[in-house]
Amino acid sequence: GTSADAALKQALDILFNHPNVGPFIGKQLIQRLVKSNPSPAYVARVTTAFNSGKFGRFGTGKRGDMQAVISAILLDAEARTAIGTTGDKLREPVLRLTQWARAFKLSSPSGKWRIGNLASKSNGLGQAAMRSPSVFNFFRPGYVPPSSRLAKANLVAPEFQITDDVSVAGYVNFLQNVVPTGLREMGSNAFCKADYSPYAPLAETPDKLASKVNLNLTGGRLSVAREMLIADAISKIPATNEDGKLKRVHAAVMLVMASSEFLVLN
């Protein structure tokens, strides 16, 4: 005698109130936002926020309040401090692109951001927004790269499921095309372009250029040795005119985006 809508609501309420939901949701959100291998204590703290709907001054006190949950994830001490070997996560390709777009104020000529499918592994990102091959995302939360040091350490690395020798080379190919010219909008010859104008004046001082790009893209996490290598590499590009200066900027951006400090969040 129960209507379909009422039965569905009852089923969803039962699932939502199951004690496993908090740890399940909490751990996967931590994996997407912070790190691949959170400690059980970290998951437990986020679960507490999920169950109570409160974290400090955040949340309404209702179970599952996402303001409380996300605050608990991002403000936890473990989110800001690498603990042992569990403090890292590979940045998935789409997030590398959005980081570049935000850092250099990408603009869309049409205002519609019709970027298209970037899923090609050979000359694209190897991942395309809104094109997950299944409802379970692009990769499994428990994926372990086979025959790796991560496997030996019993650690997971979800994003490595869409990473291989083809996608690694394809990503660099993608950068070589996109960093200088931008992203072509579908159905036109217009490009979504980045604004590098604040960086061009630094082109004549490669060390300052490398440092500024490092700060903008990685928060200054490049090692001193890596930053010096990048500065040395871009100094070899002639910068006698505006075109040459811009090429130095493009090279600096591409090299930082190909660095392990950019690709791995820690």
Side-chain angles (χ1 to χ4, degrees):
T2 303
S3 69
D5 287 347
L8 178 61
K9 184 179 184 306
Q10 184 179 19
L12 291 173
D13 287 344
I14 291 170
L15 291 172
F16 177 66
N17 286 289
H18 194 282
N20 285 350
V21 171
F24 178 80
I25 294 292
K27 183 175 181 179
Q28 293 217 30
L29 283 174
I30 293 170
Q31 285 185 308
R32 300 283 62 76
L33 296 173
V34 179
K35 62 198 311 184
S36 297
N37 294 276
S39 70
Y42 186 8
V43 176
R45 292 190 291 271
V46 173
T47 300
T48 297
F50 180 92
N51 292 340
S52 67
K54 288 289 290 182
F55 179 78
R57 61 186 178 85
F58 300 103
T60 60
K62 294 182 180 179
R63 176 180 172 85
D65 186 290
M66 294 309 293
Q67 185 185 74
V69 173
I70 293 172
S71 297
I73 291 170
L74 298 181
L75 298 176
D76 194 275
E78 193 171 327
R80 302 187 302 278
T81 305
I83 297 176
T85 59
T86 65
D88 303 336
K89 74 184 294 288
L90 182 67
R91 195 197 304 253
E92 61 188 288
V94 162
L95 296 187
R96 301 173 204 168
L97 183 67
T98 56
Q99 174 70 4
W100 166 75
R102 288 173 177 169
F104 299 105
K105 299 179 180 178
L106 196 72
S107 60
S108 164
S110 69
K112 296 181 179 179
W113 302 96
R114 297 176 298 193
I115 291 172
N117 189 353
L118 302 176
S120 169
K121 282 191 172 186
S122 59
N123 56 14
L125 280 177
Q127 184 187 29
M130 309 300 291
R131 292 176 183 266
S132 170
S134 81
V135 296
F136 300 106
N137 205 349
F138 294 93
F139 36 76
R140 301 193 306 273
Y143 178 77
V144 181
S147 305
S148 66
R149 284 187 294 176
L150 289 167
K152 291 177 182 177
N154 294 316
L155 298 174
V156 302
E159 293 83 359
F160 274 94
Q161 192 171 1
I162 58 172
T163 305
D164 55 32
D165 51 352
V166 176
S167 69
V168 168
Y171 170 65
V172 177
N173 292 336
F174 176 77
L175 292 181
Q176 287 180 316
N177 291 322
V178 168
V179 169
T181 61
L183 292 159
R184 184 189 293 274
E185 287 204 313
M186 292 188 300
S188 74
N189 290 320
F191 285 80
C192 298
K193 290 192 173 184
D195 178 14
Y196 300 115
S197 58
Y199 298 81
L202 298 174
E204 294 180 353
T205 50
D207 56 333
K208 292 182 180 180
L209 174 58
S211 179
K212 186 173 178 67
V213 175
N214 171 26
L215 180 63
N216 205 6
L217 285 174
T218 76
R221 291 189 298 110
L222 280 185
S223 67
V224 173
R226 182 102 61 192
E227 192 175 293
M228 289 177 63
L229 280 172
I230 292 174
D232 182 61
I234 62 179
S235 71
K236 294 178 169 57
I237 300 172
T240 55
N241 54 37
E242 293 305 311
D243 183 61
K245 292 177 183 179
L246 201 53
K247 285 180 179 178
R248 282 190 174 185
V249 175
H250 296 158
V253 171
M254 193 189 79
L255 290 170
V256 171
M257 290 183 70
S259 70
S260 59
E261 290 93 339
F262 177 78
L263 296 173
V264 177
L265 297 176
N266 57 24

